[in-house]
Amino acid sequence: MNPITNRQVLDLPIRESGAKNRNRIISGGALVVALAVLTVVLPFVTSGYVIYIANLLLVFTVLSLGMHIVIGEAGQFSLSHAAFYGLGIYTAGLLNNAFGLPLILNIIAGGLVAGLCGLAIGFLSLRMRDIYLALSTFAFGEAMQWIFLNWTPVTGGPNGLNFQPAHLFGFTFLSDKAAYPVVLILALVFVAATFVIHFSTLGRSFRAVRESEIAAAAVGIDVKRVKIFAFALSAFYAGAAGGLFTTFSTFIHPESLGFHTTILVLTMVVVGGIGSVSGAIGGAIVFGLISELLRQVPSYQEVIYGGILILFMMYLPRGIFSLIGRR
């Protein structure tokens, strides 16, 4: 039997690490493919409330991917996702009411308005970090909800705001089932874009900044630009998710855009697995369903989500996806 050389010994950890990464990618890809097949056949086997939930889960998926970019990829702790989501909803809905613009333009506009606000928050991240950045973004989210609640002529205030049904290419979406194919296609576009970002040079720059800003700067990465872009891109995702919400819903109330929505999305990312695209998708689906089950006990939702966050941070910090990768 041939003796094991020093070179082979040194190569073993590298090969094992590469095998683990390949297994994680294959497992995540299989999960995404299975979910995609399920979502395609769903409207043929059910209707009504189930289709509404499916639309909502797709919106949560885009929201979760947006938070994944800023927290999981770039390592910047942000608590203003609900505010960006609300900006996207109101921008898309108001444009549709005032000008009757096609759905795609409304979604892009919602994403751009939220992205500009995210750009401003990104500049804050250059001077703040850790708990100070979290508190400043939390304050921004609370301020935006106050505006949603009190700017009655524009947002409808505490009475909420009704939107006209969305339309595209002359077709008006008058039901959840009619809107579902469009919501599905657009959500899959964001999923594909997130995977491309994850494996691109930009994604590697995000993760380098997350691990060490000093080391990232030492290898030539513009840390300031990367952090600002991460916030802007994350906010664009959230705003686009808000525009996507107006595809099948014609009413929004500011109470649904509070801090509990940010905590819900944060729970999706943490439980699914911080830094994992597939984990963010899986977490969005699982906790999107749990949020519907907890709708009857709204006063306990924050407590339940907080408890789940604590347990996962203590005992499974890499999320459910880490278990899938191991298997």
Side-chain angles (χ1 to χ4, degrees), residues 263-276:
I263 293 299
L264 173 61
V265 181
L266 178 62
T267 306
M268 294 173 181
V269 174
V270 171
V271 171
I274 295 179
S276 165

Side-chain angles (χ1 to χ4, degrees), residues 34-80:
L35 292 174
V37 172
L38 177 62
T39 53
V40 168
V41 302
L42 191 62
F44 299 101
V45 297
T46 187
S47 61
Y49 180 68
V50 176
I51 297 297
Y52 168 78
I53 296 300
N55 285 331
L56 195 60
L57 292 180
L58 291 170
V59 170
F60 279 145
T61 297
V62 179
L63 261 178
S64 181
L65 290 173
M67 183 165 279
H68 157 78
I69 288 174
V70 71
I71 293 181
E73 295 281 354
Q76 305 300 306
F77 202 67
S78 174
L79 295 176
S80 53

Side-chain angles (χ1 to χ4, degrees), residues 27-43 54 57-58 61 65 180 184 187-188 191 195 277-286 289 321 324:
S27 300
L31 174 62
V32 172
V33 170
L35 292 174
V37 172
L38 177 62
T39 53
V40 168
V41 302
L42 191 62
L57 292 180
L58 291 170
T61 297
L65 290 173
Y180 178 79
L184 174 61
L188 290 177
V191 170
F195 273 108
V277 180
S278 301
I281 296 170
I285 294 172
V286 171
L289 292 172
F321 184 75
I324 300 174

Side-chain angles (χ1 to χ4, degrees), residues 87-100 106-107 110 161-164 242-243 246 249 252:
L87 283 169
I89 292 175
Y90 281 109
T91 299
L94 290 170
L95 285 176
N96 190 33
N97 285 354
F99 304 106
N106 292 334
I107 292 175
L161 184 66
N162 289 301
F163 308 130
Q164 295 179 6
T246 64
S249 179
I252 185 61

Side-chain angles (χ1 to χ4, degrees), residues 229-302:
F229 190 74
F231 274 96
L233 184 60
S234 172
F236 177 84
Y237 268 63
L244 203 59
F245 177 80
T246 64
T247 306
F248 60 91
S249 179
T250 57
F251 178 78
I252 185 61
H253 194 281
E255 286 188 357
S256 64
L257 302 172
F259 185 61
H260 69 278
T261 300
T262 295
I263 293 299
L264 173 61
V265 181
L266 178 62
T267 306
M268 294 173 181
V269 174
V270 171
V271 171
I274 295 179
S276 165
V277 180
S278 301
I281 296 170
I285 294 172
V286 171
F287 274 88
L289 292 172
I290 290 177
S291 68
E292 286 299 312
L293 295 176
L294 296 178
R295 188 179 291 274
Q296 302 301 321
V297 286
S299 57
Y300 295 100
Q301 288 186 16
E302 287 84 355

